[in-house]
Amino acid sequence: MKILSLKVKSKNNPNIFIAETDGGEVELHSEVIVKYGVGVGEIDDKDFVEYVDDSAEIIGANLCMKYISSRLKTEKQIKDYLYKKSYTTRIINRIIEKLKNYSVIDDSEFADSYIRSNQNFSKNKLKQKLASFGVGASLIEEKLTDVDDMDSCVSHAEKFLRGKMMTREVKEKLYRKLVNLGFGYDVIKRVINKFDFEEE
């Protein structure tokens, strides 16, 4: 293997270099170039693969840090993001391990944060949402142990009924709304019984 040239990828990416080789172009990170003293000339094939992999890990991890900066992400979300960026499974696993070591990825913390931010959701809806983000079933069950649907259901009912006549028709609409929000029959029945609806 021979490196023919090394040049900065762009002004926006001063730490990423494009290495032109006799086999094509690859990206190398400046940390790897400095660490191993990579330069133009002949290079061992195995060493070069190691440099490329190490660079991909650093570049991918940095991309993930930007991706995560706006809000927490689950391990599944990070993996999906990296797959879309065309990273291989082997490199993705290395990046995931690196991010976990720095506590950047924590599905338990993600679940806690999501539940806190969506306290008006029913337990079923929270379960569905967390599962869609890739949180494991056992972790979801653990996190939802203390979630009480009653308070949330009452809150939705009170908001829906505000300014409305307590007619049978409104009662039926409220029932359908609470079902659509994912509340169970027993909870809905108990909540509706708290209000005095007209009986026609």
Side-chain angles (χ1 to χ4, degrees):
M1 173 71 69
K2 188 174 184 179
I3 296 179
L4 305 176
S5 67
L6 277 171
K7 56 185 178 183
V8 175
K9 182 176 182 178
S10 70
K11 290 182 180 179
N12 294 328
N13 295 292
N15 290 317
I16 301 177
F17 286 72
I18 300 297
E20 183 185 357
T21 74
D22 48 11
E25 292 185 345
V26 295
E27 292 183 347
L28 293 179
H29 196 274
S30 59
E31 286 184 31
V32 173
I33 292 173
V34 172
K35 180 179 179 180
Y36 295 107
V38 181
V40 174
E42 293 290 337
I43 188 169
D44 181 80
D45 287 358
K46 283 187 177 181
D47 288 343
F48 188 69
V49 170
E50 182 180 354
Y51 304 158
V52 172
D53 285 355
D54 287 356
S55 294
E57 180 182 332
I58 295 170
I59 295 168
N62 288 338
L63 281 174
C64 289
M65 293 301 292
K66 291 180 182 178
Y67 177 55
I68 295 169
S69 63
S70 59
R71 65 178 64 178
L72 291 173
K73 301 291 191 301
T74 62
E75 181 175 337
K76 179 183 181 296
Q77 288 176 301
I78 295 295
K79 285 182 175 179
D80 290 345
Y81 173 75
L82 290 171
Y83 276 122
K84 287 178 181 178
K85 295 289 185 181
S86 300
Y87 283 88
T88 64
T89 300
R90 182 168 56 84
I91 297 299
I92 288 174
N93 289 336
R94 286 179 57 171
I95 294 171
I96 293 294
E97 183 178 356
K98 186 185 188 77
L99 295 177
K100 280 184 174 180
N101 288 338
Y102 285 104
S103 299
V104 174
I105 298 176
D106 187 334
D107 284 2
S108 178
E109 186 180 342
F110 175 91
D112 286 337
S113 175
Y114 190 83
I115 292 168
R116 281 196 304 271
S117 300
N118 298 281
Q119 293 181 14
N120 62 327
F121 284 5
S122 68
K123 186 178 287 191
N124 283 335
K125 186 170 183 178
L126 285 170
K127 186 180 294 186
Q128 292 168 2
K129 287 288 188 180
L130 289 172
S132 72
F133 293 130
V135 179
S138 60
L139 182 57
I140 291 174
E141 291 300 327
E142 175 190 332
K143 295 299 181 181
L144 295 181
T145 300
D146 297 326
V147 173
D148 184 3
D149 268 351
M150 276 300 295
D151 290 342
S152 178
C153 193
V154 168
S155 176
H156 278 290
E158 289 175 341
K159 184 177 179 181
F160 176 81
L161 293 172
R162 199 169 295 141
K164 292 184 173 66
M165 299 290 290
M166 303 297 275
T167 64
R168 186 180 183 87
E169 182 183 359
V170 169
K171 179 181 178 180
E172 290 171 353
K173 288 181 178 179
L174 172 61
Y175 177 83
R176 288 195 295 272
K177 177 178 178 62
L178 295 176
V179 168
N180 290 335
L181 287 170
F183 293 104
Y185 172 75
D186 289 341
V187 172
I188 293 174
K189 184 178 179 182
R190 286 163 59 196
V191 169
I192 287 180
N193 286 339
K194 287 179 178 289
F195 302 95
D196 295 323
F197 288 96
E198 296 176 6
E199 293 298 332
E200 298 175 1

